[in-house]
Amino acid sequence: MNNSGSIAVGAGGIGIEARLPFAGTNVTGPAITNSGTIVARAGGTGVMFSDNGSLINSGSIQGIGDGTGTNGYSIFTCACTTATITNLGVLDGKIQARGTVTTFVNSGLITITDSHAVQPIGPFNFNVSDFGGGGASTFTQTAAGTLSLRVMPG
């Protein structure tokens, strides 16, 4: 799946979903490349991994919150997935990358500019981990990238 244009979805929508039509072992899943813009409004999700897959983002993916603090993801992975995420562009919104194995490399900008996406501040505003807790997932912040998250004082 390649997006070089603009995708905008309404409240609770999903911009792109990585989903396979079948299940099985050794399934790599769809490869998503975004060099365009994806905006998910009012509690939506920019890119969701419901199955294994990969994402290379050199564009912009934004998840706007709905004021509850439970939605507004730029990236969201199911706990059942193996995902490889490479960011060279902008990810704006919460990130929940908690699959069985997640490899996440940031050489772009990760930020949360929408205050409605993170109220209240919690552990799932930026989470890259493995579901089993065995340490199989990794997050790499390169010198070329910037990690700039919104936090609540106090």
Side-chain angles (χ1 to χ4, degrees):
M1 165 76 174
N2 293 316
N3 174 49
S4 58
S6 294
I7 297 173
V9 295
I14 299 169
I16 295 176
E17 184 173 9
R19 178 179 293 264
L20 295 171
F22 58 87
T25 59
N26 298 321
V27 178
T28 58
I32 300 167
T33 301
N34 178 54
S35 58
T37 301
I38 300 171
V39 177
R41 302 192 189 291
T45 300
V47 175
M48 176 180 279
F49 289 88
S50 297
D51 286 304
N52 298 344
S54 65
L55 168 67
I56 297 174
N57 176 52
S58 60
S60 175
I61 302 173
Q62 182 181 34
I64 298 171
D66 61 2
T68 67
T70 59
N71 299 302
Y73 291 92
S74 58
I75 306 288
F76 188 94
T77 69
C78 167
C80 62
T81 62
T82 296
T84 300
I85 301 164
T86 303
N87 181 45
L88 305 165
V90 176
L91 298 177
D92 183 0
K94 297 192 309 185
I95 294 174
Q96 171 71 350
R98 190 174 181 234
T100 53
V101 178
T102 302
T103 302
F104 198 125
V105 177
N106 181 43
S107 295
L109 171 63
I110 295 176
T111 188
I112 302 174
T113 59
D114 178 33
S115 62
H116 291 296
V118 295
Q119 300 301 329
I121 297 295
F124 298 111
N125 293 335
F126 179 75
N127 180 21
V128 178
S129 62
D130 59 282
F131 185 71
S137 293
T138 60
F139 174 79
T140 303
Q141 174 65 50
T142 70
T146 302
L147 178 62
S148 174
L149 302 178
R150 178 183 293 271
V151 295
M152 183 182 295

